[in-house]
Amino acid sequence: MDAKLSDHQSIAAALLGWYDVHARDLPWRSRPGETADPYRVWLSEIMLQQTTVATVRPRFADFIARWPTVAAMAAAEDADLMSAWAGLGYYARARNLLACARAVVRDHGGVFPADEPVLRTLPGVGDYTAAAIAAIAFGKRAVVVDGNVERVVARLFAIDTPLPAAKPLIRAAADLITPDNRAGDFAQAMMDLGSSLCGPRATQCLLCPLRAHCRAAAAGTPTAFPVKAGKKAKPHRHGTVFWLERDGHVLLVRRPDKGLLGGMRALPTGPWADAPPGITDAPVPGIDWQIVPDRVTHVFTHFTLELALASGRAEGHEAPADGEWWAIEALDSAGLPTVFAKAAQLARRK
């Protein structure tokens, strides 16, 4: 047998043996060797994108209780699901969640397809998610590379090409060690290893089942991998958010379907620009706006935002066409995105 092939098989065997003992107990995951529920796998993978397991765990339970099947989710009201998504980031994912559930019911009889190419045709399902569903839910051999797997493989093979140029090299290396059998368990084992023993800033190499195969560990420099290109500073934007009260209610608007935080209820806001815009695009004319001294800051993936808070009263004013008066005492039920929830907390304190 080819020595390199033998080494690659040894890596998979060592990792799977470790996983059989140390697999994380997660609500969407089956036990090692068991068949998983494709709906739970898909839902968890969408929810976990750029979100931590600790955040998703209780939210996943809420979603499953409310929408226990893909058919139930497909029948959900858009506004209900968008509100339930609040705090999980990137609302485009919530819109794709609904679109995908409806596509599975409409085009696939309510059954998730098992093949990667077909999975990739579903809304919001890219290469990684398709591979994860195929491997974890259906036992298909698929190369699953998320951030944890990327880190483990880069260290295992000491891939010194900086990211993102290293991604094809890392995927090719992951392909070499992915076994034909138990590919789903292997993918989850890699994720667990990366989240526990092979972290971004600290490693526990003495406990790692792949230590004997790891080139970065042998060199004594595991945290030097993966090599990352220098980060550019995020642009900084300014805006104003408007808190307008009337008879114990506050004005909320529905954001446009397309764009950041699309389709969500929110406090009205003017433009987000390079310089503070003052009360440009205030939602109701003739209001005596008072600017609160404190600011609301929020970090999005591609920029940071600093919002001034303008407060006013609107006795006798009607809500604009895209707005509604929402009881302040019930504001927690509005499903405001995090940045607007922060602004509401500031307004209520003031």
Side-chain angles (χ1 to χ4, degrees), residues 301-312:
T301 301
H302 300 298
F303 67 96
T304 60
L305 177 66
E306 181 178 300
L307 290 174
L309 176 68
S311 178

Side-chain angles (χ1 to χ4, degrees), residues 83-238:
S83 294
W85 189 265
L88 289 170
Y90 277 123
Y91 290 89
R93 288 192 283 129
R95 293 194 293 274
N96 281 331
L97 201 68
L98 268 177
C100 184
R102 290 166 181 169
V104 169
V105 170
R106 181 186 65 243
D107 302 331
H108 301 280
V111 178
F112 275 89
D115 296 324
E116 279 187 82
V118 183
L119 285 164
R120 284 195 292 268
T121 68
L122 296 173
V125 176
D127 291 345
Y128 162 75
T129 307
I133 296 171
I136 297 169
F138 297 104
K140 298 291 186 79
R141 187 189 185 280
V143 182
V144 184
V145 182
D146 72 347
N148 282 318
V149 176
E150 190 173 78
R151 182 168 59 255
V152 171
V153 172
R155 291 171 178 172
L156 194 59
F157 291 86
I159 296 172
D160 57 7
T161 301
L163 291 170
K167 287 182 178 291
L169 302 176
I170 291 172
R171 191 189 186 286
D175 193 2
L176 289 175
I177 60 175
T178 298
D180 293 333
N181 298 317
R182 297 188 67 188
D185 285 346
F186 179 80
Q188 292 178 116
M190 291 287 276
M191 296 173 192
D192 284 9
L193 188 68
S195 70
S196 58
L197 304 183
C198 198
R201 287 172 292 277
T203 62
Q204 299 182 59
C205 295
L206 292 178
L207 301 178
C208 179
L210 303 185
R211 182 188 177 202
H213 305 275
C214 183
R215 297 177 186 176
T221 57
T223 56
F225 302 92
V227 179
K228 296 183 179 180
K231 288 187 177 180
K232 295 181 180 179
K234 290 185 179 182
H236 187 68
R237 297 180 186 172
H238 300 265

Side-chain angles (χ1 to χ4, degrees), residues 35-82:
T35 301
D37 178 355
Y39 172 65
R40 287 177 172 242
V41 173
W42 162 74
L43 178 59
S44 67
E45 289 297 339
I46 300 299
M47 295 182 81
L48 284 164
Q49 290 172 12
Q50 297 184 317
T51 313
T52 65
V53 167
T55 298
V56 169
R57 187 191 290 266
R59 303 296 296 278
F60 177 85
D62 293 342
F63 268 67
I64 288 295
R66 193 167 183 181
W67 300 293
T69 66
V70 68
M73 180 167 288
E77 293 291 337
D78 291 44
D80 290 343
L81 193 134
M82 296 297 281

